[in-house]
Amino acid sequence: MQAILCNATLATLCGPSCGLIPDGALVVADGRIAWVGHAADLPAEHATLPRHDLGGRLLTPAPVDCHTHLIHGGDRAREFEQRLQGASYEEIARAGGGILSTVTATRTASEADLIAAALPRLDALLAEGVTTVEVKSGYGLDIATERTMLRAARRLADLRPVRIVTTFLGAHACPPEYKGRADAYIDDMCIPALHAAHAEGLVDAVDGFCEGIAFTPAQIARVFDAARALGLPVKLHAEQLSHQGGTALAALHGALSADHVEYATDTDARAMAAAGTVAVLLPGAFYTLHETQAPPVAAFRAHGVPMALATDCNPGSSPMTSILLAMNMGCTLFRLTPEEALRGVTEHAARALGLADCGRLAPGLRADLAVWSVRAPAELAWRIGFNPLWQRWFNGAPC
Ligand code: DI6
Ligand code: FE
């Protein structure tokens, strides 16, 4: 398919001020962006293509949700009630609830059950223009269920027009059968599960949870070494509830991203900048857990650490399926600018997944686009619970 999208304001994200081009046009050809610029400069070779008039709307790269736990069994509404009565996320986890209650529900679900449960969540993201979704394992914690989760995640891309990126998160929690034996879990179960999932072609990246209620930097380092031996990129849930040294470890391993990072320090930010590690901010978890320590946004800015935003869609700490709400919360809770929020769900989210072919409007990139009934990028982050998406383009076609 070939077409000119015209009569639009383009937020290309190439250059300052969102790379805004008023009276812009964009040429789509065979799934890719062929040309971007001022409508008046449209090259003659494209002039005869069919035109899609966007009615003066805003055209952006389609959002990328770069951190989700979309595949899981069960729900955690009871735990939500417990937290409202004063129990903390960590207390619930240490008592065997939290992540482990979702592990129980996920282990008893079939692949078809997991897919059926995830589709409404995925559809909510797609309704806001999202075209790429990262999905983690980590609620199986045994070889069979980790693989089932990743298979279910990959199947979503056959059922909906979306690109799915899968991340192995075996080092998410220590399962009951290894209680008190976290080192044995890492060596005897988690790393073999990674090998098995990789052998099946199910793993795009490797993640872990470095936290007092999860794994130490030394344990995560062994998982990262196994990932490196397989040639897989790494990322890490780091410094979410306390400072454990996960961010420095992630930077040392050249991680694509360090995620949450509320307790990261100025030194951590420096190390991330030097390593090119993206800070993935997850305001939905900060909000849900009533956290008070915001991530060091000023340090990330000062050192030039790219900041992404994602939903962290999961049943416990962030039961959120709105990328627009993540943008709004990023601004209101973490004081990002609306431009940082837009870059956070496009350019920097793509980078957090190691994807160089999306996240901006530039020739050669995938034609994954979002058309919004707004005039300025700030309107995307401004409203709460309102979806101005007018049209979504995936792989060069509206859908
Ligand atoms: N941090 C998170 O935000 C999710 N995992 C993690 O390590 C929460 C997972 C859950 O509570 O189910
Ligand atoms: Fe997470």
Side-chain angles (χ1 to χ4, degrees):
M1 167 168 178
Q2 301 205 344
I4 306 171
L5 281 63
C6 59
N7 192 15
T9 298
L10 311 186
T12 65
L13 304 179
C14 303
S17 303
C18 294
L20 227 51
I21 304 179
D23 301 318
L26 181 144
V27 176
V28 171
D30 306 321
R32 298 273 158 175
I33 298 171
W35 184 87
V36 184
H38 290 281
D41 300 332
L42 186 72
E45 54 175 309
H46 300 306
T48 56
L49 294 177
R51 286 178 181 253
H52 286 257
D53 189 322
L54 301 187
R57 291 180 177 82
L58 180 72
L59 176 63
T60 70
V64 170
D65 194 349
C66 68
H67 181 141
T68 86
H69 307 253
L70 209 67
I71 294 284
H72 59 259
D75 74 89
R76 302 257 286 280
R78 176 70 195 120
E79 175 184 320
F80 175 63
E81 292 180 301
Q82 288 173 324
R83 280 202 313 276
L84 291 172
Q85 284 156 11
S88 76
Y89 181 73
E90 283 151 300
E91 281 162 4
I92 292 167
R94 289 191 195 283
I99 292 173
L100 293 184
S101 69
T102 301
V103 170
T104 304
T106 303
R107 284 179 175 178
T108 52
S110 67
E111 184 180 324
D113 294 338
L114 293 174
I115 292 168
L119 280 174
R121 299 189 277 268
L122 177 62
D123 287 339
L125 294 175
L126 303 195
E128 292 184 345
V130 170
T131 55
T132 300
V133 181
E134 185 258 20
V135 182
K136 300 177 194 295
S137 69
Y139 291 122
L141 311 183
D142 62 35
I143 293 179
T145 316
E146 287 292 301
R147 286 163 84 179
T148 303
M149 285 188 74
L150 294 168
R151 261 185 238 128
R154 288 278 177 96
R155 273 288 290 156
L156 296 175
D158 302 328
L159 300 171
R160 293 292 186 273
V162 68
R163 176 150 68 152
I164 299 290
V165 174
T166 48
T167 301
F168 176 83
L169 177 56
H172 194 196
C174 190
E177 58 275 19
Y178 282 90
K179 193 171 171 40
R181 297 186 296 131
D183 282 309
Y185 170 70
I186 293 291
D187 299 331
D188 302 343
M189 179 57 72
C190 178
I191 292 172
L194 169 59
H195 286 144
H198 173 70
E200 206 180 320
L202 293 171
V203 183
D204 295 317
V206 175
D207 196 351
F209 188 18
C210 186
E211 190 53 67
I213 53 171
F215 297 100
T216 63
Q219 289 160 345
I220 297 291
R222 299 212 294 283
V223 179
F224 281 4
D225 288 341
R228 176 181 310 212
L230 297 173
L232 293 170
V234 299
K235 43 181 54 239
L236 190 62
H237 287 71
E239 265 67 90
Q240 179 188 5
L241 307 168
S242 59
H243 191 273
Q244 301 279 333
T247 308
L249 177 81
L252 187 68
H253 284 257
L256 289 173
S257 68
D259 302 39
H260 292 284
V261 291
E262 276 87 341
Y263 286 82
T265 63
D266 191 74
T267 308
D268 292 331
R270 252 179 230 281
M272 289 171 75
T277 299
V278 176
V280 177
L281 309 184
L282 303 169
F286 176 91
Y287 166 85
T288 300
L289 299 184
H290 302 263
E291 295 296 329
T292 52
Q293 170 138 346
V297 165
F300 293 146
R301 283 190 191 120
H303 299 302
V305 178
M307 291 179 281
L309 281 168
T311 63
D312 193 14
C313 174
N314 77 71
S317 64
S318 189
M320 177 160 99
T321 47
S322 170
I323 199 77
L324 289 169
L325 184 55
M327 292 172 72
N328 174 268
M329 286 180 170
C331 295
T332 300
L333 298 175
F334 297 162
R335 304 276 171 161
L336 297 191
T337 66
E339 175 169 1
E340 286 172 329
L342 180 57
R343 287 188 195 272
V345 301
T346 54
E347 182 190 10
H348 296 158
R351 189 162 157 191
L353 298 180
L355 301 176
D357 63 354
C358 64
R360 291 175 300 126
L361 303 182
L365 301 194
R366 286 171 63 102
D368 290 348
L369 312 169
V371 186
W372 310 92
S373 293
V374 305
R375 283 168 307 156
E379 290 181 57
L380 298 176
W382 159 56
R383 296 178 70 154
I384 302 169
F386 181 78
N387 179 6
L389 187 79
W390 186 71
Q391 197 168 54
R392 172 184 179 275
W393 287 62
F394 177 68
N395 206 13
C399 57

